[in-house]
Amino acid sequence: MSPNATHEPVIAFEGVRIGFDEGEVLHGVSLRVTSRETKILVGETGSGKTLLLKLAAGLLRPDAGRVMVLGQEISALREKELLDFRRQVGFVFQEGALFDSMSVEENVAYRLREEAVDEAEIEHRVREALRFVELEEAMDKLPGELSGGMRRRVSIARALISAPPIVLYDSPTAGLDPVTAQTIITLILRLRDTQGVTALLATHRLQDAFAMVHYRFDPESGRVVPVAQNGASSGPSTSFVVLRDGAIYFEGDFRAISDSADPYVQKFLL
């Protein structure tokens, strides 16, 4: 269950601004993500979706405003503190961002070896993570030997290797065929519903995002089922933020975004 309004959000942006040589990109963005909620970020290319993910991961610092994650103002942390913080966040990049010269096993184990975890523990956790994404048999392969969907699954395995309470997804189904995209969405649902992660998910594909509202992963059957089955009247909390030109243009739940007649919002529903 999500915490009530008196509890601190897991992720909060407060008046966040950031710019680069071409000018300011995010213009005073404020939003909150509660425990176990999935917040869907939608918007055109360049609207600020990926920037928000990188700010939440502590990969960038805002020029103004605050970024609060797990009760810490990460925008004020020193680099050493940020390294410790990032162990609590999984990041699934759009292109997988795997090391091409490393095997699948080495990619997934990279963070653990950086932390000097015992090798026996590393092997156990890597196998467990790859089993979760159904790629245990690919441990010895190089990324170049994998399909796009398989690389995305390896990226998910790497993101969950430390069992983080937060996972950030940057267009996880972009460029994939519908069948492969469904496989990725099933994994995201499984991670949400078996490990209770809080998530920010940037996407162009609202049909994928709507699956987060209408379906849940049933661990007993090992399948994705409609939320109304097995006594579940509603799924975990899912809400939507539509970005436009670096600012929040719309924010609401599934019903609000589905019922919106706004032309800019409508273009993402088609």
Side-chain angles (χ1 to χ4, degrees):
M1 303 240 343
S2 297
N4 61 42
T6 64
H7 290 181
E8 289 296 313
V10 176
I11 302 171
F13 296 87
E14 301 175 359
V16 169
R17 296 177 177 273
I18 189 171
F20 303 97
D21 291 342
E22 64 272 22
E24 191 171 73
V25 182
L26 292 180
H27 312 296
V29 171
S30 296
L31 63 87
R32 298 159 62 94
V33 188
T34 57
S35 178
R36 299 194 175 197
E37 179 183 9
T38 298
K39 182 83 73 176
I40 309 295
L41 304 177
V42 186
E44 296 174 332
T45 299
S47 60
K49 303 186 301 298
T50 298
L51 273 181
L52 286 173
L53 297 182
K54 290 182 175 180
L55 286 162
L59 298 174
L60 293 173
R61 295 180 186 272
D63 297 327
R66 299 200 306 165
V67 181
M68 305 290 296
V69 182
L70 296 170
Q72 300 182 83
E73 184 180 348
I74 63 167
S75 45
L77 295 181
R78 296 188 297 271
E79 190 58 35
K80 172 61 171 66
E81 295 168 323
L82 280 172
L83 290 174
D84 294 335
F85 158 76
R86 291 187 189 117
R87 296 188 180 100
Q88 302 176 79
V89 179
F91 203 132
V92 179
F93 294 90
Q94 179 175 335
E95 299 304 326
L98 303 178
F99 298 109
D100 291 337
S101 60
M102 293 184 178
S103 68
V104 166
E105 184 274 337
E106 290 169 330
N107 268 282
V108 176
Y110 184 81
R111 176 181 288 187
L112 300 183
R113 291 202 169 101
E114 287 283 294
E115 297 171 5
V117 175
D118 179 76
E119 280 296 323
E121 174 69 9
I122 289 175
E123 180 180 0
H124 169 73
R125 288 167 65 177
V126 168
R127 286 189 178 276
E128 186 176 58
L130 287 173
R131 193 176 300 124
F132 184 91
V133 299
E134 300 178 355
L135 277 179
E136 190 176 3
E137 76 286 350
M139 284 185 65
D140 297 325
K141 293 184 180 295
L142 292 172
E145 301 176 83
L146 307 178
S147 67
M150 292 171 75
R151 287 194 295 272
R152 214 69 57 89
R153 285 153 63 191
V154 173
S155 184
I156 292 174
R158 186 177 60 182
L160 62 86
I161 193 68
S162 297
I166 295 171
V167 179
L168 310 172
Y169 300 96
D170 188 10
S171 301
T173 62
L176 301 179
D177 63 85
V179 173
T180 305
Q182 183 56 52
T183 299
I184 299 301
I185 291 300
T186 297
L187 286 172
I188 293 172
L189 288 168
R190 185 179 177 191
L191 186 58
R192 181 195 70 182
D193 296 336
T194 62
Q195 299 190 23
V197 300
T198 301
L200 273 174
L201 190 155
T203 185
H204 293 286
R205 297 169 55 116
L206 269 177
Q207 61 267 44
D208 292 343
F210 289 165
M212 309 300 291
V213 178
H214 296 304
Y215 294 92
R216 56 183 284 270
F217 184 84
D218 177 28
E220 292 187 8
S221 66
R223 295 185 300 109
V224 169
V225 298
V227 294
Q229 285 191 9
N230 299 333
S233 58
S234 63
S237 176
T238 303
S239 61
F240 298 82
V241 169
V242 178
L243 295 164
R244 185 173 188 177
D245 299 328
I248 292 179
Y249 185 81
F250 168 94
E251 186 169 9
D253 60 13
F254 169 73
R255 183 174 296 279
I257 197 170
S258 298
D259 291 347
S260 174
D262 184 277
Y264 184 75
V265 174
Q266 279 283 317
K267 69 188 292 184
F268 299 104
L269 299 174
L270 300 177

